[in-house]
Amino acid sequence: MSGIDSQLRASFARHDDDIVLDHRFLDGAIQRGERRMRIRRRRRAVAAMAVVSLVVGAGMTLREQSPTELTTHGGPESWSVAEPSDAGVFDVDGDLFVAAVTPWRDELLAIGVVQRPDGTNHGVAWLTGNGIDWERRDLTFPDGCGPLDGVAVQGDRLVVSCHNVGGEPSIGVASTADLANWQIEAVSDRGVWFGAQMGAGPDGVVLGSLEGITGDSTRGATMRIWSSGSSGTVRELVGATPQTLLDANIVRFDFAGGTIIASGMVNEWPTEVGPDVHAVQRPALWISTDGRPFERILLDPGAQSVDGSGIVTGVAETTVGYVAVGNAGGAGIAWTSDDLRTWSNTPPVTEVDQRPARSLWGAIALRDGSVLAAGDGRPNEILAWLSIDGGRTWQSRGRGPDKIVRWDDRVVGVSTYPSPTQFWVWDGSG
């Protein structure tokens, strides 16, 4: 198993009991190297045939894709590709996995890891102030630290998670103000750790990691969560009961005012024990308001999930309530709520030709009350999905990026798959 393969799988705390969704998505990310290079060369060869250029805000040049490249359904809102002034800035010697895209200081940062043909890995980042002029920075992370297990911004510092700080089994963070000099802080020096996840809210950075009983299985593992405020003080946030965070797997942190919303799933194990015994993953949320202990809410995966399995990949707060997105029974699904505690599921998300989205993630609430998400709707293709009714129904808006984020007054994205050389701008309401 290659280095980046093992890192990616460890970052999601997956073993043989994993949900099909995550294996399929990670396998595609890990094995896409040669295919992506062919796609990239073909795209560059035909780039001059593009099409119509226009200028939007800050001198950003966009190209509208032809109908064969991009199909939208039911409205004008869609993603447009911004051509970089120097496309070569994204060339890498190997296979690139973009771990995160985030506003940092006055710029947008894309950060990830490159696996070279010889199997070694190195860090890389790109910075832009306008979406067309990009500066590349090659990174050297401290041992045991990197962006694959989470990235957050705290003030003027970029923060990544760390495993085995100082060579000892531990969990911690590394932060930098210049992408060159790193300060490492151990958070906990005990336990066997499976992956990590980070988020940056209004009051500081939140870090979560699954603490196992042994290194062979996540059965009986407990999710531990820490919060670091602007003063730098780190404190652990606990569950309302010992079972609240037991067998939990958190993949994302979102924030609504003073409430931390953790999305993921619960591993529900059968009573028997053995190599062929697998857990059922129940879609779940954990919420903590004003530092109080986390509550756990299990969500109904709907009739499309025969065994009740599913996962929540994120939550967005809209003008009419909350929308959670994810996967259940191999199909994209959303849930809606007025209060974060009582949720109703929606029908599986499908296109107009009834092809389903296999998953939804990265939900962002737009100013007009609609919700934008990414999803894998076709083989080897990421699509944009838009809901104009608070998450109850969804429509495909054609191809788009898989990493999406709000940047100033715009919603933008960066492609990880199938090509990391594209920067996208949402044409609809931000």
Side-chain angles (χ1 to χ4, degrees):
M1 181 180 292
S2 68
I4 200 168
D5 188 315
S6 60
Q7 289 183 60
L8 284 169
R9 296 186 191 283
S11 72
F12 285 91
R14 304 289 193 264
H15 296 281
D16 290 338
D17 55 1
D18 292 348
I19 190 170
V20 173
L21 158 70
D22 298 303
H23 275 311
R24 182 170 60 230
F25 185 75
L26 287 178
D27 287 342
I30 294 163
Q31 300 171 3
R32 67 184 179 272
E34 292 184 2
R35 179 173 65 254
R36 181 199 292 147
M37 292 302 293
R38 291 195 298 269
I39 293 171
R40 188 182 305 168
R41 285 193 291 266
R42 184 168 63 249
R43 180 178 292 115
R44 287 175 182 165
V46 301
M49 300 170 58
V51 278
V52 183
S53 293
L54 54 142
V55 176
V56 178
M60 185 177 297
T61 301
L62 306 180
R63 64 179 179 87
E64 294 178 343
Q65 300 184 0
S66 70
T68 59
E69 292 180 295
L70 177 63
T71 302
T72 60
H73 303 296
E77 304 92 340
S78 64
W79 287 102
S80 294
V81 177
E83 300 288 0
S85 57
D86 176 14
V89 74
F90 291 105
D91 287 340
V92 296
D93 180 20
D95 195 22
L96 170 66
F97 183 82
V98 178
V101 55
T102 181
W104 185 40
R105 297 174 169 173
D106 296 326
E107 296 183 290
L108 188 73
L109 169 74
I111 185 170
V113 172
V114 175
Q115 182 182 31
R116 296 188 178 100
D118 62 6
T120 60
N121 302 327
H122 74 276
V124 64
W126 291 268
L127 292 161
T128 183
N130 59 15
I132 57 173
D133 300 310
W134 292 82
E135 175 195 359
R136 171 177 167 157
R137 300 282 295 275
D138 291 312
L139 307 180
T140 300
F141 298 111
D143 290 344
C145 307
L148 294 180
D149 284 338
V151 173
V153 173
Q154 185 171 30
D156 66 346
R157 301 189 69 84
L158 182 74
V159 186
V160 300
S161 64
C162 303
H163 290 85
N164 302 325
V165 178
E168 299 295 331
S170 57
I171 189 78
V173 296
S175 64
T176 181
D178 57 9
L179 297 179
N181 301 290
W182 295 86
Q183 178 180 331
I184 302 177
E185 179 181 3
V187 173
S188 179
D189 58 359
R190 64 183 177 89
V192 176
W193 305 102
F194 294 96
Q197 190 53 256
M198 299 182 70
D203 299 322
V205 172
V206 175
L207 169 69
S209 185
L210 194 62
E211 183 181 20
I213 299 174
T214 71
D216 299 326
S217 173
T218 61
R219 186 168 188 156
T222 296
M223 181 63 64
R224 297 182 62 195
I225 302 172
W226 299 268
S227 176
S228 175
S230 57
S231 65
T233 302
V234 177
R235 67 189 184 100
E236 184 171 2
L237 302 176
V238 300
T241 72
Q243 287 72 41
T244 301
L245 296 171
L246 183 67
D247 284 314
N249 194 350
I250 290 171
V251 300
R252 180 180 170 96
F253 288 107
D254 291 296
F255 302 86
T259 299
I260 302 170
I261 309 168
S263 303
M265 60 188 182
V266 173
N267 284 325
E268 192 172 278
W269 294 88
T271 55
E272 60 269 26
V273 178
D276 296 326
V277 174
H278 304 289
V280 174
Q281 287 86 15
R282 306 293 188 192
L285 295 173
W286 294 261
I287 58 174
S288 170
T289 301
D290 297 329
R292 292 194 290 271
F294 276 93
E295 304 173 52
R296 188 185 74 176
I297 300 101
L298 296 178
L299 277 63
D300 180 5
Q304 69 271 14
S305 179
V306 176
D307 63 355
S309 65
I311 184 171
V312 185
T313 59
V315 175
E317 183 181 13
T318 74
T319 56
V320 295
Y322 302 90
V323 178
V325 297
N327 167 282
I333 190 174
W335 297 265
T336 60
S337 175
D338 295 329
D339 59 5
L340 285 175
R341 288 172 173 79
T342 302
W343 293 84
S344 300
N345 58 15
T346 67
V349 175
T350 60
E351 292 191 77
V352 292
D353 56 7
Q354 299 305 302
R355 286 180 295 185
R358 293 180 295 171
S359 183
L360 296 177
W361 63 87
I364 293 180
L366 306 180
R367 291 193 184 92
D368 62 3
S370 57
V371 183
L372 176 67
D376 50 344
R378 299 186 178 103
N380 303 326
E381 188 171 48
I382 305 300
L383 299 179
W385 297 89
L386 184 70
S387 173
I388 61 174
D389 58 5
R392 292 165 179 81
T393 60
W394 296 78
Q395 292 181 322
S396 166
R397 296 302 195 203
R399 292 210 338 251
D402 59 319
K403 297 288 190 300
I404 61 177
V405 67
R406 187 180 301 282
W407 183 31
D408 295 331
D409 59 346
R410 294 170 294 179
V411 175
V412 300
V414 171
S415 291
T416 297
Y417 180 85
S419 172
T421 64
Q422 292 181 330
F423 175 73
W424 304 72
V425 177
W426 180 248
D427 293 335
S429 168

